[in-house]
């Protein structure tokens, strides 16, 4: 039987990236992301500025996605959009846009949970990338999220662990800020860490029950550590940057891996799928590879452009919902909190 051709236009605007993608079934035809630079000056995302930038970006980004996919609006089968979780003002821009366009084109509207989408990004058809089979564990690590999720089927997901304070990306970014590195500092910590000694300095690991995480204590201990040493030697950071970064990264990677090992032990599931911008981190990638050898894990990391915030992951989730005819009514609204 010939597979039906379904074209999904997907829109993502939950944080500081305005993104639109077009998918033909499980394949990505275009995935356009406009990253908002304005926040760099403030050392973090400013919600009000993010919504304004989404307003400016959304129309050109959608046009670009349709052009790149070489698709006309009339050929679209449905519109998928992120309804949450995220910054409310940002979500409202994508939500209103998607609702109006679906209404204008008289095609189905599909709301997508951003956290589910990070996980379902693994089901995009991409040469050279395997898809996990059910059940598997997903660990989403980014500037906004840190969760371990048990995935039993596309839409049967259970959060089994999450951060009780900062996300892991925030831990990287806030540590970098203390060291005087620009935002977002995660990639810079990684870069410096590669040439440093991970055991040069010791930072305490938090004691958190079960599979939950905590990163706010680490940030505080790094702050005190830096204050103490720079009081004695003002050049301390500059002289030891690589070792400090390597030691911070080593601590964060250990925190993540401890909980992941525990999750594998508790569930008996050895397939692990990673998502979120922090999955680019070299220390995490090495630790996962080591886990494959040492514990027989099978790990999945999607193509980088589908792991940071992007609309292609919203598109694949939209397509999987489209197959189930899981459509949304036009009363659907943006929600800052939205459980998987
Ligand atoms: O998924 P993402 O693009 O956006 C959200 O936060 O949702 O993730 C961005 C986060 C930032 O905190 C950034 O510093 C971090 O991912 N990040 C990294 C690396 N690349 C990006 N953190 C550590 N090492 C990296 N190589
Ligand atoms: Zn995200």
């Amino acid at each position: 039987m010939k597979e039906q051709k379904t074209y999904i236009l997907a829109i993502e605007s939950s944080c500081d990236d305005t993104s639109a993608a077009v998918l033909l079934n499980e394949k990505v035809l275009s995935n356009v992301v406009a990253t908002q630079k304005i926040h760099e000056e403030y050392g973090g995302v400013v919600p009000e500025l993010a919504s304004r930038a989404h307003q400016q970006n959304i129309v050109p980004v959608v046009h670009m996605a349709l052009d790149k996919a070489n698709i006309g609006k009339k050929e679209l089968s449905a519109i998928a959009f992120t309804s949450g979780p995220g910054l409310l003002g940002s979500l409202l821009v994508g939500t209103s846009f998607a609702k109006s366009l679906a209404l204008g084109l008289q095609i189905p509207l599909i709301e997508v949970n951003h956290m589910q989408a990070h996980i379902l990004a693994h089901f995009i058809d991409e040469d050279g990338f395997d898809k996990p089979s059910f059940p598997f564990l997903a660990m989403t690590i980014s500037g906004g999220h840190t969760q371990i999720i048990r995935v039993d089927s596309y839409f049967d997901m259970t959060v089994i662990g999450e951060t009780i304070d900062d996300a892991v990306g925030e831990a990287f970014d806030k540590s970098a800020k203390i060291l005087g590195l620009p935002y977002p500092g995660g990639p810079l910590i990684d870069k410096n860490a590669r040439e440093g000694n991970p055991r040069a300095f010791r930072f305490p690991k938090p004691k958190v029950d079960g599979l939950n995480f905590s990163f706010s204590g680490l940030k505080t201990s790094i702050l005190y550590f830096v204050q103490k040493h720079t009081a004695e030697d003002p050049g301390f950071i500059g002289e030891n940057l690589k070792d400090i970064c390597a030691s911070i990264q080593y601590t964060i990677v250990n925190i993540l891996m401890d909980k992941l090992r525990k999750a594998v032990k508790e569930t008996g599931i050895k397939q692990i799928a990673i998502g979120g911008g922090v999955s680019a981190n070299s220390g995490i990638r090495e630790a996962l590879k080591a886990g494959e050898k040492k514990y027989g894990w099978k790990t999945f990391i999607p193509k980088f452009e589908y792991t940071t915030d992007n609309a292609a992951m919203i598109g694949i989730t939209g397509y999987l919902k489209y197959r189930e005819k899981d459509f949304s009514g036009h009363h659907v609204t943006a929600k800052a909190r939205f459980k998987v």
Side-chain angles (χ1 to χ4, degrees):
M1 202 176 70
K2 225 172 132 220
E3 199 180 6
Q4 203 188 334
K5 278 190 174 176
T6 303
Y7 290 99
I8 306 275
L9 170 68
I11 291 162
E12 154 66 31
S13 72
S14 65
C15 189
D16 60 341
D17 294 307
T18 319
S19 180
V22 177
L23 273 79
L24 167 55
N25 299 355
E26 286 118 328
K27 280 211 174 300
V28 177
L29 301 182
S30 64
N31 182 39
V32 178
V33 184
T35 301
Q36 304 176 0
K37 293 274 171 223
I38 180 92
H39 308 288
E40 282 173 16
E41 295 167 33
Y42 298 89
V45 178
V46 184
E48 172 65 25
L49 297 179
S51 341
R52 287 193 223 175
H54 284 305
Q55 280 277 16
Q56 286 173 343
N57 293 342
I58 194 143
V59 172
V61 163
V62 167
H63 273 152
M64 217 185 284
L66 290 168
D67 284 353
K68 279 197 172 172
N70 207 8
I71 289 290
K73 287 194 287 289
K74 297 251 170 348
E75 290 170 83
L76 294 173
S77 315
I79 314 265
F81 71 100
T82 308
S83 62
L87 301 171
L88 196 62
S90 291
L91 289 164
L92 278 170
V93 178
T95 303
S96 311
F97 185 90
K99 281 166 78 167
S100 323
L101 191 57
L103 195 64
L105 295 171
Q106 290 287 303
I107 54 175
L109 179 67
I110 304 170
E111 74 165 319
V112 170
N113 179 310
H114 179 92
M115 298 310 301
Q116 283 187 345
H118 267 302
I119 294 165
L120 297 176
H122 288 272
F123 295 95
I124 291 173
D125 251 352
E126 189 70 35
D127 290 344
F129 288 81
D130 289 343
K131 297 174 185 176
S133 53
F134 301 111
F136 64 90
L137 295 178
M139 186 163 78
T140 43
I141 41 177
S142 77
H145 351 285
T146 308
Q147 291 187 320
I148 301 181
I149 298 168
R150 181 191 162 108
V151 188
D152 284 290
S153 68
Y154 292 128
F155 296 103
D156 182 2
M157 302 185 184
T158 317
V159 178
I160 56 174
E162 61 190 331
T163 183
I164 56 169
D165 43 53
D166 291 347
V168 60
E170 276 180 287
F172 272 108
D173 295 341
K174 288 179 179 175
S175 307
K177 197 173 174 183
I178 295 169
L179 299 175
L181 299 171
Y183 175 85
L188 297 170
I189 295 219
D190 190 5
K191 193 164 165 249
N192 282 294
R194 281 177 222 193
E195 291 167 31
N197 172 8
R199 290 187 175 80
F201 305 105
R202 282 187 79 88
F203 297 107
K205 277 201 287 178
K207 290 193 175 53
V208 191
D209 286 345
L211 298 173
N212 285 341
F213 300 93
S214 166
F215 290 102
S216 64
L218 176 65
K219 172 191 66 195
T220 313
S221 67
I222 293 168
L223 179 66
Y224 289 158
F225 165 85
V226 167
Q227 282 175 343
K228 179 174 162 270
H229 285 280
T230 40
E232 291 160 8
D233 168 15
F236 176 76
I237 295 180
E239 289 152 20
N240 297 280
L241 188 63
K242 288 175 178 163
D243 287 347
I244 303 172
C245 288
S247 304
I248 292 172
Q249 183 157 308
Y250 179 77
T251 311
I252 295 178
V253 172
N254 267 335
I255 295 171
L256 293 174
M257 291 303 140
D258 279 357
K259 297 290 174 157
L260 204 48
R261 268 196 302 274
K262 198 166 180 201
V264 170
K265 206 167 161 205
E266 283 180 13
T267 59
I269 300 171
K270 289 189 174 181
Q271 284 194 98
I272 301 163
I274 307 298
V278 182
S279 59
N281 185 269
S282 62
I284 293 170
R285 285 176 179 242
E286 277 164 27
L288 290 171
K289 281 274 159 262
E292 293 199 332
K293 280 211 187 79
K294 209 164 162 191
Y295 309 113
W297 294 353
K298 183 157 172 48
T299 60
F300 301 84
I301 305 180
K303 201 171 160 190
F304 187 66
E305 72 168 297
Y306 305 143
T307 197
T308 55
D309 284 353
N310 70 89
M313 70 182 192
I314 307 302
I316 186 71
T317 310
Y319 173 67
L320 294 168
K321 285 187 145 191
Y322 184 91
R323 287 199 314 201
E324 309 284 315
K325 295 204 166 34
D326 185 358
F327 302 141
S328 308
H330 285 271
H331 55 273
V332 64
T333 55
K335 19 196 169 298
R337 293 181 177 274
F338 188 1
K339 296 247 175 245
V340 295

